[in-house]
Each structure stands twice: as C-alpha cells, then as structure tokens.
Amino acid sequence: YLLLRSLGALGLTWLLFWLYTTHVLGRAMADFGVTLSVRGWAAAAAVLLPAGVTAVYGSLGRWTASPIPLGEAAGTIAASLALALKAGVTEEMLFRGYMMTLVRERWSRRAAILAPSVLFACAHLIGLETFSPAGVALLVVSGSLVGIMFSLVADRSGSVSNSVLMHTLWNLVMATSLLHITPAGETYGSPVFSLIIPDGPLLLTGGSFGAETSAIAMAGYAAVCCLALVKGANHR
C-alpha cells in the first residue's frame, strides 16, 4: 500500500507541475531546472554524504538487524525507496526548481538560495515529536543548512536531478524504515537495520528529529556545500 501510494502521489504531483508550467505559466519545465542531467561530482556526493554520516555513527554505536522474514524486509526496502523518491522529487521540484527559479528571477541568486532553504526548514517543524526551544532552533538551523546544500547542488549543476538524487539517497538511508539511528531509549518502529548510539547531548543525537539535525550531519552538509561551490564554479 505504501509503495503504491507513494508512486501514485509522485506521478500525480509531476502531472500537476507539468500542467501548471505548460498551461498556466506557458513555459517549459526545463526553465525551472527540471531536466535529467546528473553530474559526476553531485552523484559522488549523494552517495558519500549518507555513507559518511552513517560511518561516523557506526563508530560510536552498535548495529542490529530486525528478525523479520525476507519477504517482509524486501517489501520494507521497496516502500522505503518509494517514499524517499517521492519526497526527493516533489520537494526538490518545489523548493529548488520552482521557488528558487522564481525568487532568482525576481530578486537575486543569493536570495534564491537562502529564502527557500529557510522555508524548507520551517516546513519540517511539523515533523517534531516534541517541541522545545533548543529542538526548534536546531531544526531551523540544520534544516536551513541542508536546504542551502540542496540549493547549491541544483544551482551549480544546472539541474534539480542532482539535488533529487542526493535528497532521495539521504532520505532512504536516514529517514525511512531501512535504517534507524537512535539512542537505546528512543527506538521506534521495525526498521530493517538499527544503529543504537549512546545517549548524549542534543548536537550528537539530533533531539526529537533525529540524526538528520545532529552536528555530525551538519558537518556533512557543510562539506557538500563547499564541494558544490568548488566543482560547480565552471557551470556559472
């Protein structure tokens, strides 16, 4: 059900974007960076970012695998991939495709990278399980940084397909039932793999939003931002 729902939502969203672009705006989707053009440096970063963050946490915690049947595990992996792809495509088309392009055309490239990124972070506040000033601040800062990372990748590569790939692989590893990185007292659900990390400060665990908002993840986001600025310089 999750697999079909995710793929259906992805197809419907794509259709609505296409209809709005071609029939309301009278433009092509390529005008908003919606093209298939993946650059090697972006593909490498898309793999290395979740792998690096997971490796750092792996050195701090212990791995476990859920004793679930092979068929159920395969279904969980397929549904996780569909969920990650849906979020990657739809969110990147909206924030890095349309919003970033329209803000750049109206104001400037810098505003186009910053403004949708902050909005992207604020949109994820609904995902917080518990609210605290420190947790909200951490999500806004880390969410804005990851938004800037996706924006720079899309802007410097010339296509949202690069940020879609990065967003999809990141979500697949860090935000689905394929893998959960949590302290022992905060485990939830039935993931295929679990990485149990020690209880620690908010910057280590990421708080109620999880490892995606941790200092370890933010270091990875900053590294990819630097890579995009260097490798994508020729595109500009």
Side-chain angles (χ1 to χ4, degrees), residues 27-80:
R27 301 177 65 173
M29 294 183 76
D31 295 341
F32 299 93
V34 184
T35 61
L36 184 59
S37 177
V38 178
R39 296 182 178 269
W41 62 266
V47 174
L48 292 175
L49 175 61
V53 171
T54 303
V56 173
Y57 273 114
S59 68
L60 301 175
R62 58 182 176 85
W63 289 88
T64 63
S66 299
I68 58 178
L70 181 60
E72 183 177 338
T76 299
I77 293 171
S80 296

Side-chain angles (χ1 to χ4, degrees), residues 103-124:
V103 172
R104 184 175 62 237
E105 292 176 350
R106 181 65 174 85
W107 287 287
S108 67
R109 184 183 294 270
R110 181 174 297 179
I113 289 174
L114 293 178
S117 298
V118 175
L119 183 60
F120 176 75
C122 293
H124 284 76

